[in-house]
Amino acid sequence: MIRHTVMLVILSLLALGATPIAADQAAVISPEQADAALAYLTPGTIIRHHCAPCGDTDFTDATIETRKQLEWSDTSNLVEIVVNGEPIDLAYVYVRQREGWHNLALLIGMTEVTDVPRLLTASTLGNIHSDAHASHDHEHDHGHGHASPIATRTFPIPGHWLGTIDGTAVAFDAGLEEGLEATGTWGGREVYLELAAGGHAPLTFELWDPERDGPAIGVLAGTIVSEEDGHQAFVGTWQRDGKTAVPATLELAATYVTVFSESNGLSASWHYPRLPARVPGALDFNVEQAMAAARRHETFVFELVDLGGGPPDDVIVSGIGWEREEGTVVAHVDDKVLSLERRLWSYTGGAHGNLSLATEVYAFTPAGPRRLALADLFAADTPWQDGLIDLVYEDLRGQGASLLGSRDEMTLERLGTFAVEPEHLRLLFQPYEVGSWAEGSYTVTVPWSSLRDWLAPHAPIDSP
């Protein structure tokens, strides 16, 4: 039986600082490093053991039933992680991510670990796989006999990329979905990048307009450049209609971290953004994003326990087919503001699943990102509340929202799910909030020009 233990998971995916490492490299670690690792070691998850310095040419898999951290001694502030009753060395443990099986120690920033491959692939194993392992990989890697090379995915680094193409601003979200596409906007219109045939160095992408038939708009080709401070950029060229190629650069504004969890009858995953170290307050922000994502997952599990009226093991085992997928992405980011949008899909039986939406908006300050409420965007001595509600209500009525109700029922509290974007304020409404499940969620965009007279002088947007 799987024992579910509530642990507050603190995950900082920045380097966590130098810490004494035992002879076994990462068997004895700091409590902070243990917290980061435990975020990946959830009950029901499969981990892969492989010791390259030991001369291993194969791996062994294990399903986590229990995991905890224990004090290593009474005289030090170090701990060890115990999985299924046995201590583990993070240097020789691999966890599954979108790009393949990652070394856990390196994944949480333990750069002191050496002589181990970052990714576990057929080449790092000397191409020795048993039939059982090949079958296992076939099941979990969507038909590949081993973890796919990074170059065959959308971008080598999942995240939110910003830059210019042909003098026009572009933003892409990469690496969140299966397949070889990155979706985004270019000059205000929706576009997507698709990996061209081969996909190896230089990375070559075709830019497409989903609303237009015919050939690709152009070709983006280049490589990923990593600087000493961890800053990542895609540096290459852009070519359109056979014209001369011109320089093009995309910078990584935020990376996406994905955590998987599989228990009997419950399959879950969640991803969230991590800001680069150069952003003031990034460490605290990244830790809080990880903590909040873990708390939401634990709350979901215990709500299922309450529904089942029994112990966690009984409920989880009986919940065959339950799913939970949470994704927090960057809706917009610039030097003033960061808007996050989160979609949670869950299924616990019944005719259909459930979709919930949430947003978070932060202003960048010298002290770090500061969470904003909708009221922070407007001057208190203006009639912005009634004005905004009028605009939103009329828009929803025009869209035919069947559960909208009267104007008096449209309160400010119903406008709490919002995102700040360059040209407009975007407000989201959950399924069933203003329309039926069949109608789906609703979105209202209000141009900043319509709100100009009510905006606060310090609102983190460009003057409309």
Side-chain angles (χ1 to χ4, degrees):
M1 298 291 287
I2 298 174
R3 188 181 73 186
H4 293 269
T5 304
V6 178
M7 293 187 178
L8 181 61
V9 182
I10 301 176
L11 175 58
S12 168
L13 291 170
L14 302 174
L16 293 173
T19 300
I21 296 180
D24 289 334
Q25 290 215 60
V28 179
I29 55 180
S30 72
E32 293 79 13
Q33 289 169 330
D35 287 336
L38 286 171
Y40 295 92
L41 302 175
T42 54
T45 299
I46 296 174
I47 58 175
R48 186 158 286 184
H49 297 277
H50 172 76
C51 179
C54 305
D56 288 357
T57 57
D58 212 339
F59 56 80
T60 58
D61 286 348
T63 299
I64 298 176
E65 296 183 358
T66 63
R67 87 280 196 267
K68 58 185 176 181
Q69 58 174 292
L70 299 176
E71 290 186 2
W72 187 57
S73 72
D74 295 333
T75 58
S76 71
N77 189 33
L78 299 176
V79 299
E80 62 180 356
I81 293 180
V82 177
V83 172
N84 299 342
E86 296 292 334
I88 63 171
D89 189 324
L90 303 187
Y92 312 126
V93 171
Y94 291 78
V95 294
R96 178 157 178 78
Q97 298 293 285
R98 292 285 186 189
E99 302 84 6
W101 291 87
H102 277 253
N103 182 277
L104 182 53
L106 297 179
L107 188 61
I108 66 171
M110 297 184 67
T111 55
E112 306 93 333
V113 170
T114 60
D115 300 322
V116 297
R118 180 175 294 272
L119 277 174
L120 202 57
T121 65
S123 60
T124 59
L125 292 170
N127 292 303
I128 298 177
H129 279 256
S130 68
D131 292 339
H133 288 153
S135 174
H136 179 84
D137 277 347
H138 179 86
E139 175 185 354
H140 290 275
D141 289 338
H142 306 283
H144 297 284
H146 52 80
S148 303
I150 291 180
T152 63
R153 291 204 51 77
T154 314
F155 270 88
I157 303 170
H160 192 80
W161 297 78
L162 298 174
T164 57
I165 293 179
D166 207 10
T168 303
V170 64
F172 288 106
D173 264 324
L176 292 180
E177 304 294 341
E178 293 298 331
L180 304 176
E181 297 179 5
T183 59
T185 58
W186 181 46
R189 74 193 206 194
E190 293 186 1
V191 293
Y192 68 92
L193 285 178
E194 184 176 60
L195 190 69
H200 299 287
L203 292 170
T204 304
F205 300 91
E206 295 173 331
L207 183 68
W208 294 84
D209 183 342
E211 301 297 326
R212 190 186 75 173
D213 294 331
I217 300 172
V219 175
L220 186 68
T223 57
I224 299 295
V225 176
S226 301
E227 299 180 0
E228 290 184 0
D229 64 355
H231 179 237
Q232 307 281 346
F234 177 88
V235 179
T237 60
W238 163 254
Q239 188 173 28
R240 182 176 186 179
D241 299 329
K243 297 179 181 179
T244 302
V246 296
T249 301
L250 300 176
E251 295 192 359
L252 187 59
T255 55
Y256 291 133
V257 181
T258 303
V259 180
F260 296 92
S261 175
E262 291 187 8
S263 301
N264 290 350
L266 174 61
S267 175
S269 66
W270 59 96
H271 62 253
Y272 51 88
R274 180 191 69 175
L275 296 178
R278 66 181 183 278
V279 176
L283 177 59
D284 290 340
F285 175 86
N286 295 339
V287 169
E288 176 53 33
Q289 285 293 309
M291 288 172 59
R295 286 195 298 264
R296 287 190 296 268
H297 175 69
E298 290 179 345
T299 299
F300 176 84
V301 170
F302 279 93
E303 285 177 351
L304 296 184
V305 172
D306 292 339
L307 288 174
D313 290 342
D314 293 345
V315 173
I316 297 301
V317 170
S318 67
I320 297 175
W322 284 347
E323 297 178 3
R324 181 186 187 275
E325 295 180 3
E326 176 186 294
T328 302
V329 300
V330 175
H332 172 69
V333 62
D334 56 33
D335 59 348
K336 298 179 181 179
V337 66
L338 168 67
S339 282
L340 304 180
E341 181 177 339
R342 180 164 56 254
R343 291 177 176 263
L344 170 61
W345 166 264
S346 62
Y347 179 76
T348 56
H352 57 71
N354 294 292
L355 175 66
S356 64
L357 309 173
T359 56
E360 299 174 18
V361 178
Y362 297 86
F364 288 119
T365 74
R370 179 174 66 88
R371 182 79 179 267
L372 296 179
L374 183 62
D376 293 326
L377 304 177
F378 298 94
D381 58 351
T382 65
W384 70 271
Q385 298 184 27
D386 287 338
L388 180 59
I389 289 175
D390 286 341
L391 291 170
V392 172
Y393 182 81
E394 289 304 317
D395 191 296
L396 289 171
R397 190 169 69 168
Q399 293 186 55
S402 64
L403 303 179
L404 180 58
S406 68
R407 162 64 176 80
D408 292 339
E409 295 177 86
M410 180 57 66
T411 62
L412 190 63
E413 287 72 21
R414 298 178 72 178
L415 308 185
T417 308
F418 70 97
V420 171
E421 298 185 345
E423 304 295 330
H424 52 252
L425 175 69
R426 184 163 58 92
L427 300 111
L428 291 81
F429 296 86
Q430 321 277 347
Y432 293 122
E433 189 171 5
V434 295
S436 67
W437 172 261
E439 294 172 49
S441 59
Y442 278 87
T443 299
V444 174
T445 57
V446 182
W448 292 119
S449 57
S450 300
L451 307 171
R452 180 189 299 112
D453 295 338
W454 307 325
L455 293 174
H458 60 270
I461 61 172
D462 294 328
S463 299

